[in-house]
């Protein structure tokens, strides 16, 4: 893990959604880290435990937010067209 300040990018209740987001960021060479993956084994308790945290270096926060927002918007558009 880098010696930079990590900040919270997003929280996820479901592990595969967190992994998808991490993969999207890796595709554009943004290092990200998932915390609490092993704590959230039952999604019923995810909200109470704070979810799976996706963290990035503070310097990449805005770029990472933009990437995830773009992906989520295009995904919603595809679902609506079904």
């Amino acid at each position: 893990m880098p010696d930079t300040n990590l900040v919270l990018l997003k929280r996820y209740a479901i592990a595969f959604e967190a992994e998808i987001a991490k993969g999207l960021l890796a595709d554009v060479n943004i290092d990200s880290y998932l915390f609490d993956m092993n704590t959230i084994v039952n999604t019923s308790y995810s909200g109470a435990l704070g979810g799976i945290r996706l963290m990035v270096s503070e310097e990449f926060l805005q770029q990472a937010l933009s990437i995830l927002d773009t992906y989520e918007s295009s995904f919603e558009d595809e679902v609506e067209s079904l």
Side-chain angles (χ1 to χ4, degrees):
M1 201 169 339
D3 292 332
T4 60
N5 291 333
L6 294 180
V7 294
L8 178 65
L9 174 59
K10 199 156 186 167
R11 292 181 190 269
Y12 293 91
I14 300 171
F16 78 85
E17 291 177 342
E19 291 285 359
I20 289 170
K22 186 175 182 352
L24 290 169
L25 297 176
D27 285 346
V28 293
N29 298 317
I30 295 177
D31 291 329
S32 61
Y33 305 90
L34 294 172
F35 290 86
D36 304 322
M37 281 286 287
N38 297 325
T39 304
I40 311 300
V41 293
N42 183 337
T43 56
S44 301
Y45 301 118
S46 180
L49 297 173
I52 299 165
R53 296 177 295 149
L54 178 61
M55 310 283 285
V56 296
S57 174
E58 191 171 17
E59 68 183 287
F60 293 110
L61 179 62
Q62 293 305 316
Q63 183 183 0
L65 280 170
S66 176
I67 290 164
L68 294 184
D69 286 346
T70 300
Y71 171 77
E72 289 171 2
S73 293
S74 66
F75 180 76
E76 288 173 5
D77 291 344
E78 286 180 34
V79 169
E80 286 178 6
S81 68
L82 294 177

